[in-house]
Amino acid sequence: MTAKRDPRGIRNNNPGNIRRNGDPWQGLAERQGDVEFFTFKTPIYGIRALARTLITYQDKHDLRSIRQIISRWAPPVENNTNAYVRAVVAQTGFDADHILDMHRFDHLLPLTKVIIQHENGQQPYTDAQLTKGLVLAGVEPEAPRLQKTRTVKGGQAATAATAGLGVVEA
């Protein structure tokens, strides 16, 4: 990415455009060159901060729907909040008033992606980067059910093959 052409949030490794305040975020860059917004060492730490903020909205302020969350994230005094809500609804598929759980990866990931897209006009991060940021924030993807893993499928195939041999021997 080229520093001059990228949006501010991408340049600052702060894709949620989190404003500077007294919060001692993990992964802050040593040099805070932007007077308004935090600068993080890597995008992963910026994604983590975005996710932690959304989790805090739920845990401390009981904000659980897209409408509630975005109204705080992008208040009407400085944003077109209704347009932001409509964009998030359209891109996530969640209803504006559907109750979300920011401790669930399948709720937090799509919301994080859309906020990054809306804040920067692009979402340049890989699923691996996004997942790493969310895991650092304390939210992990649900582990696949054991019946769907290759190890179990391989074991089932081996068992079936062994059972077939028993029939041949008989």
Side-chain angles (χ1 to χ4, degrees), residues 137-151:
V139 179
E140 297 194 23
E142 185 176 318
R145 291 192 355 237
L146 199 52
Q147 290 295 329
K148 295 189 179 199
T149 65
R150 284 190 294 168
T151 305

Side-chain angles (χ1 to χ4, degrees), residues 25-96:
W25 286 108
Q26 270 185 24
L28 284 176
E30 193 172 304
R31 182 180 170 287
Q32 293 293 310
D34 190 317
V35 296
E36 289 185 62
F37 296 92
F38 284 118
T39 302
F40 291 92
K41 293 177 188 176
T42 69
I44 305 298
Y45 284 111
I47 294 164
R48 178 197 175 276
L50 190 168
R52 288 301 314 158
T53 301
L54 296 176
I55 291 165
T56 299
Y57 284 2
Q58 173 181 309
D59 293 351
K60 289 193 177 176
H61 306 288
D62 199 33
L63 304 177
R64 300 184 56 115
S65 71
I66 288 173
R67 187 181 321 279
Q68 292 170 337
I69 291 166
I70 297 302
S71 293
R72 181 167 179 123
W73 185 271
V77 295
E78 56 188 52
N79 298 277
N80 184 341
T81 305
N82 289 330
Y84 204 145
V85 168
R86 284 192 302 274
V88 172
V89 165
Q91 292 178 23
T92 63
F94 294 127
D95 183 78

Side-chain angles (χ1 to χ4, degrees), residues 94-114:
F94 294 127
D95 183 78
D97 297 308
H98 179 79
I99 299 302
L100 300 174
D101 182 354
M102 294 298 99
H103 294 281
R104 283 185 50 180
F105 188 86
D106 62 330
H107 286 182
L108 184 57
L109 179 64
L111 189 55
T112 299
K113 282 182 173 181
V114 174

